[in-house]
Structure formats: structure tokens, C-alpha cells
Amino acid sequence: MNTSTWLLALLLPACQGPDSPSAAGSDPSPSIQAASGPKTPAQVPAEVSLEDVCSLALKHHPDLRRFPYDDRAADARRLIAGRPPNPSVSLELEDFAGNGVYSGTRSAIYTATLVQLLETGGKRGARAAEAGAAQARLRADYETRRREVLEQASQDFVEALAEKESLALAERELELAESGLQSVGSQVEAGRATESQRKLAAMAVTQAKLEVRSSRRGFERSLARLAALWGGGSKPSRVRGLLTPPPKGLPSRAQLAGALESHPEVAAARRREDEAQARVKLARAGRYPDVEVGLGARHDRASGDDALVLGASVPLPLIETGRDGVKAAEAEAASAALAIESARLDLQRRFESAWAAFADGHDAAVTAENELLPGAREVFSSIDESYRLGRTGFLEWLEAGRQLAAANRRWLEARRDYQQAAATLQALTGQSL
């Protein structure tokens, strides 16, 4: 075997890395094939708890289901960035198909050369650092979206609980209105009430029926919103639990505010700065010319002699020196550093708004539980007893019933607002409330 053939036999396998089709096959990996299969429908129980809703949302929400694919792509880009450039093979044939002694291939010269680009200045390390920071930023973005999905799931579940309780209140108010209509009808027949009062009682029954129908539709809409969290399809028919009253005191505001620094949006901003710093290093390294070296073999057919060929080439940075690229990368890095502070300020602004809603909801819920609702119940109980004994008129009884219904609604809204604000604070701080 002559030198040319021997060198080519070594070069061609070297150009086939472990990821080439001939080395590893062209089929995708089994894990990607499995993940690319049809979406598994969500198994939704008839009655769901908050844990069920959060679990279904995390497992089936389209935004979260995309992450494994995005992460694999980022991981592949990171691996690629850390690899050196592929070598290349150059084949040359000289002094053939001419005149005289150069006719045919009798005087041909064959040259086979392996060429490798040698990167300088730490370009490969900078590329790998940028790709690694990009993958870390992707994971921080995923955690941010995960918190948002959990916040939405919690708020939608609280809304469903509120709609369930609103429906129960409407049904109780309908029962009360129907009993009032029956009572005033008996009084009209006995001559102790007027026909106008019976009409008022009938209007109260009609309004209560409308409220029941409206509350039932609201409850169905809340169940549909829950199903949208896992991509629609099956929806539950019931929700488990009640809107519990808030505790007597508020958690430490300072402790919750201190947890903002660990929010994934801050982490994502830091990773963007890491990416920008890596691009600065890459731009600075780009000012160092890369060296392309080649080693080959030459065979002269006319003489039968063989020889080695060695070469090197370096680009001359005469026109584009890379200085402006460095300036651009440094400016982007400075902007990315300021973006971290912007993320902190945005989180602080959202925290202040969420804390205000949380504190207001807590105050309203505690006041409604301890003052408003007991007073309304006491007044209605007293007037109802007096009305049944014939000492109080129907209009006063009807007004007391309306005040009790309004107090119940206010108590319900206060607990709902408190729980939804708590869900927002939990998403911002990562702290359980």
C-alpha cells in the first residue's frame, strides 16, 4: 500500500464522529420517539381537589409539556458548542489530461491532505459557556412558567369553590324567599297583609330563581376553566373543599419580600447576563486568528516517488479586526446586567400589589366573619321570630333577609379574594401560605 492510500484509509474513518449516521444510525433515540407519541388524555376524576387540579395542570399543560423538547434541543446545542471543528479532507490531481508527457495520467501527481482548524483565544470554551448559560436560562424560564401555571390553577380552583358556595347560598335564599311567599300568602288570606306584599314576595322568589340559574352557570364556567388548564377535554363535575377563613394574623411581610431574590425570573436574568458575558469572551477571542494546518501525502506517478505535504494558513485581520464586535458584545452585556435590576424592581412592584390585595382580603374576611355576618344573622333571627309572631311586617322581614344575603355574599367574596391573593404571593415568593 502506497503512502496516499494509507493516509486516506486513516482520514476517512476519522471524519465519521460517534454521532454520524453511519456510526450511530439515523433513527431518533427511543426516548424522543416515546415523548413524540400521541398526547395521553388527562384522567380527570368526577370530584377534584386542589392537589388534583395542580397535578393535572403540571402534567398536561401545553406550555409545560413543551419543555422536555426545548431542554433536549438546548442540551444538544451545548454539546455541539463544546466540540472542536470537524477536520476536512482535500484531494488534488495535477499534471494530467494535457499534451505530450502530460497526456492521460502518466505524469499525474496525487495529493491527499487532512486539514484541521485550530481555534485560538478560547473560542470553544466561550461557545460552550454561552450554550450552557442558555440552557440554564431555559430551565429558569420553565420554573417561572411552572409557577404561573400553579398560580392560575390555584386561583381557578378557588373561583370554583366560590361558585359552588355561591350556588348553595342562592339555593338557600330561594328556599327563604319561597317560605316568605307562602307565609305572606297565608296572611293575605287572613286579611293581615296586602296583595302588594304578596306581589313583592313573588318578585323576590323570581329574583332568587334567576340567581340560582346564574350561579349554576357560573359554577359550570368555573369547571370549564379548570379543564382548560390541562388542555380541555374531560372536566370535573364537582370540586372538593371549602373556602376556609383566613388565620388571625398575617405572615411576615419582610420574610416574604426577602424570598423574591430566589424567584426564577431573577435567575433567568442572571443567566442572560452569563450568556452576554460569554459572547463578550467569544468576541474578544475572535480577534485572535485561527490557524488552519494540513498534513498530507503526495504521489508522483511518473517517478513513483512519495512525499509528505505540510501546510498552514492564517487569516490576516487587515479589514475586519473584530474591535466593533467586542464593543457590541460589551454593550449587550451591560444591558443584560441592568436587566437583572429591572427584574428585581418588577417583582417588587408585583409583590407590593399582591401584598396589598392579600392584606385587604384578610381584613375584609376577618371583619365579615367577626362583625358583619354575626350581626346580620342576629338581626334576621330576631326579626324572623318577631314576624312569625305577627309583631313585625313583611317588608321589614324581607329587608332583613336581603341584608343577611348581602352579608353572606360579602363574606364569600372576602374569602375568595384573600385566597386568590395568597396564590399570587405564593407564586411570587415560593413560600407556602
Side-chain angles (χ1 to χ4, degrees), residues 377-390:
R377 286 171 178 169
E378 183 180 355
V379 169
F380 179 77
S381 178
S382 175
I383 292 179
D384 183 58
E385 183 181 359
S386 180
Y387 173 70
R388 296 185 186 281
L389 295 174

Side-chain angles (χ1 to χ4, degrees), residues 18 30 60 84 107 109 130 156-157 176 180 216 228 235 243 251 265 272 287 292 295 310 319 343 346 354 365 388 418:
H60 296 282
S107 301
I109 299 175
E130 181 184 5
D156 287 351
F157 184 78
L176 184 62
R216 187 170 288 117
K235 70 176 183 179
L243 284 177
E265 287 186 15
R272 288 187 180 92
R287 301 194 65 189
E292 191 175 64
L295 174 65
L310 179 64
I319 300 175
D346 182 64
R388 296 185 186 281
Y418 168 80

Side-chain angles (χ1 to χ4, degrees), residues 157-168:
F157 184 78
V158 167
E159 186 66 29
L161 288 180
E163 293 290 352
K164 180 181 77 168
E165 188 169 333
S166 177
L167 176 58

Side-chain angles (χ1 to χ4, degrees), residues 46 131 140 155 168 173 222 246 266 294 309 340 357 371 387 392 411:
Q155 291 187 338
E173 291 165 8
S222 69
V266 176
V309 177
I340 299 176
E371 300 177 29
Y387 173 70
T392 303
W411 164 231

Side-chain angles (χ1 to χ4, degrees), residues 199-220:
K199 289 181 179 179
L200 282 175
M203 290 174 58
V205 170
T206 301
Q207 291 174 349
K209 288 180 178 178
L210 287 174
E211 187 64 31
V212 167
R213 292 200 291 269
S214 177
S215 297
R216 187 170 288 117
R217 287 192 295 270
F219 182 55
E220 289 297 323

Side-chain angles (χ1 to χ4, degrees), residues 243-249 361-366 369 411 414-415 418-419:
L243 284 177
T244 57
K248 295 186 181 298
H362 182 274
D363 179 61
V366 170
E369 180 185 18
W411 164 231
R415 285 177 291 149
Y418 168 80
Q419 296 289 356

Side-chain angles (χ1 to χ4, degrees), residues 162-358:
E163 293 290 352
K164 180 181 77 168
E165 188 169 333
S166 177
L167 176 58
L169 283 176
E171 290 172 344
R172 288 203 297 270
E173 291 165 8
L174 175 59
E175 292 176 1
L176 184 62
E178 288 175 339
S179 70
L181 176 60
Q182 184 179 3
S183 174
V184 79
S186 300
Q187 291 184 7
V188 168
E189 293 175 0
R192 296 195 302 271
T194 65
E195 186 64 29
S196 297
Q197 290 176 332
R198 178 157 61 183
K199 289 181 179 179
L200 282 175
M203 290 174 58
V205 170
T206 301
Q207 291 174 349
K209 288 180 178 178
L210 287 174
E211 187 64 31
V212 167
R213 292 200 291 269
S214 177
S215 297
R216 187 170 288 117
R217 287 192 295 270
F219 182 55
E220 289 297 323
R221 285 194 298 270
S222 69
L223 295 177
R225 282 196 297 270
L226 288 179
L229 290 168
W230 48 83
S234 301
K235 70 176 183 179
S237 56
R238 301 183 304 278
V239 287
R240 186 186 313 138
L242 297 171
L243 284 177
T244 57
K248 295 186 181 298
L250 292 173
S252 170
R253 182 182 181 282
Q255 182 177 357
L256 290 176
L260 294 176
E261 188 62 26
S262 61
H263 194 282
E265 287 186 15
V266 176
R270 286 175 176 156
R271 300 295 80 77
R272 288 187 180 92
E273 184 190 22
D274 292 343
E275 288 182 77
Q277 292 294 344
R279 285 193 290 270
V280 170
K281 293 180 180 179
L282 187 60
R284 289 172 178 169
R287 301 194 65 189
Y288 295 91
D290 295 333
V291 179
E292 191 175 64
V293 297
L295 174 65
R298 173 171 294 175
H299 174 70
D300 188 334
R301 187 175 182 187
S303 64
D305 296 331
D306 295 317
L308 292 177
V309 177
L310 179 64
S313 64
V314 178
L316 299 177
L318 300 178
I319 300 175
E320 175 53 55
T321 63
R323 184 176 303 155
D324 292 332
V326 173
K327 291 180 180 179
E330 289 175 342
E332 291 175 353
S335 174
L338 291 175
I340 299 176
E341 188 61 27
S342 296
R344 289 194 182 104
L345 291 176
D346 182 64
L347 286 172
Q348 186 64 39
R349 177 189 59 79
R350 287 152 56 190
F351 174 81
E352 295 296 341
S353 177
W355 177 264
F358 179 70

Side-chain angles (χ1 to χ4, degrees), residues 44-58:
V44 184
E47 183 179 68
V48 293
S49 63
L50 176 59
E51 291 77 9
D52 294 330
V53 169
C54 291
S55 177
L56 287 166
L58 290 177

